[in-house]
Amino acid sequence: MSAEIAHSCLLCGGTDYTVLCEFPELTWVWCECGLIYKQSEAVPTVEYHEDYFVNRENVRRQYNTRNRRRIQKSRSQILDVLNHVEPGPLLDVGCGYGHTLRAAEDLGLIATGVDISEHAVRFCNELGFSTKQGTLERLPFADGAFQIVIMKHVLEHTKTPREALRETRRVLRPGGGLFIAVPHAGYLRARVSPKGYRFYRPEFHGREHFVYYTPQTLSRLLKEESFDPVNVPLPHLVHRRAGGAVRAAEIAIAPLRLAAQQAKSSLALYKEFWLTATASLKARG
């Protein structure tokens, strides 16, 4: 029998919802405010050991394959943040195998990683990265230690997102930049057939995830936790801190990329979305 884990909406606190999909192991609900969250579950807690990275979703594959592509994507995401803030020390929350740390160092930034997984921390440290073990709700760093915080596919893993964002805000300097990537709750396949899609199924992401956001719900949450969203929800077309040749190429293809982004967005074909925000200069009241 499933046990209730969320008595009310994690965003608005309301209790009016529609059951989105229900399994014997867990139940997902859709709040009137637009947030989708897991209301109950009766499955073991996910342990982020080596098997999580090496043998995810019953598919035998190495988590660190396609290194170059992952590093390039991380580089673009960091440059998104640098369109809005000055460079400075960067923290990658949920650093995994260190692709974002490598990209940050390639951009000349001092980079630090944190992960709940002892295996991931050990792996990154062996590669020479500065990495510590910690959780979203308890980051082992001083107040205002970082200018940039990257959170890629981690915020959906907590049932206390406000606590996670408050802790992120604590270690981030006023005016610093935050980059978040999360699964898109509005993705067409997940919306049309939620019970058949891996976002919700207990043998896939349904076990490890607690919340699914849209750009609107995540923007609201960030604003309420002293962040100012500045780019929602698509990647920047041009990066002002990219090299001259790269920036020229970005400018040249920007119209085509914009048209492709708009078409893909209108058809709800994005499985994930990116959001850039800055830490408000005014402290949370």
Side-chain angles (χ1 to χ4, degrees), residues 47 55 150:
E47 299 290 341
N55 189 21
I150 306 293

Side-chain angles (χ1 to χ4, degrees), residues 22-37:
E22 191 170 13
F23 304 90
E25 302 93 336
L26 49 85
T27 300
W28 291 92
V29 298
W30 188 0
C31 180
E32 288 187 341
C33 75
L35 192 76
I36 294 173
Y37 63 97

Side-chain angles (χ1 to χ4, degrees), residues 67-134:
N67 279 340
R68 182 176 299 179
R69 178 181 175 185
R70 293 178 185 274
I71 293 169
Q72 288 177 341
K73 185 175 181 179
S74 291
R75 177 187 175 93
S76 179
Q77 292 165 335
I78 295 169
L79 287 171
D80 271 14
V81 185
L82 290 175
N83 269 13
H84 303 281
V85 304
E86 294 299 313
L90 177 147
L91 175 65
D92 183 20
V93 179
C95 59
Y97 276 1
H99 301 104
T100 297
L101 298 176
R102 175 65 68 199
E105 291 189 352
D106 289 347
L107 289 169
L109 302 176
I110 297 173
T112 302
V114 63
D115 203 290
I116 192 173
S117 167
E118 181 181 356
H119 165 73
V121 170
R122 183 172 61 252
F123 186 95
C124 287
N125 285 337
E126 289 174 354
L127 291 178
F129 297 123
S130 174
T131 315
K132 294 184 178 182
Q133 191 169 10

Side-chain angles (χ1 to χ4, degrees), residues 181-243:
V182 289
H184 200 319
Y187 177 51
L188 182 62
R189 286 183 62 188
R191 192 175 64 194
V192 170
S193 181
K195 194 163 186 178
Y197 196 66
R198 62 183 57 209
F199 275 11
Y200 306 107
R201 294 192 62 82
E203 69 269 31
F204 294 108
H205 298 310
R207 181 183 169 202
E208 59 187 291
H209 294 173
F210 290 94
V211 192
Y212 287 108
Y213 303 92
T214 62
Q216 294 75 24
T217 55
L218 183 54
S219 293
R220 174 179 169 179
L221 179 62
L222 285 166
K223 290 175 183 177
E224 291 177 359
E225 295 301 331
S226 300
F227 290 95
D228 299 316
V230 292
N231 189 57
V232 185
L234 300 175
H236 283 283
L237 298 171
V238 178
H239 296 112
R240 66 186 183 93
R241 294 189 184 276

Side-chain angles (χ1 to χ4, degrees), residues 165 168-169 172 178 222-223 225-229 277-280:
L165 288 175
T168 301
R169 180 66 182 80
L172 191 59
L178 171 65
L222 285 166
K223 290 175 183 177
E225 295 301 331
S226 300
F227 290 95
D228 299 316
T278 58
S280 175

Side-chain angles (χ1 to χ4, degrees), residues 40-60:
S40 63
E41 68 175 351
V43 292
T45 302
V46 174
E47 299 290 341
Y48 297 95
H49 300 312
E50 184 173 358
D51 284 351
Y52 176 83
F53 296 89
V54 175
N55 189 21
R56 296 193 62 190
E57 300 173 1
N58 299 318
V59 178
R60 187 70 183 175

Side-chain angles (χ1 to χ4, degrees), residues 76 235-239 250 253-262:
S76 179
H236 283 283
L237 298 171
V238 178
H239 296 112
E250 288 180 339
I253 66 173
L256 292 176
R257 287 188 61 202
L258 177 60
Q261 285 182 358
Q262 290 176 336

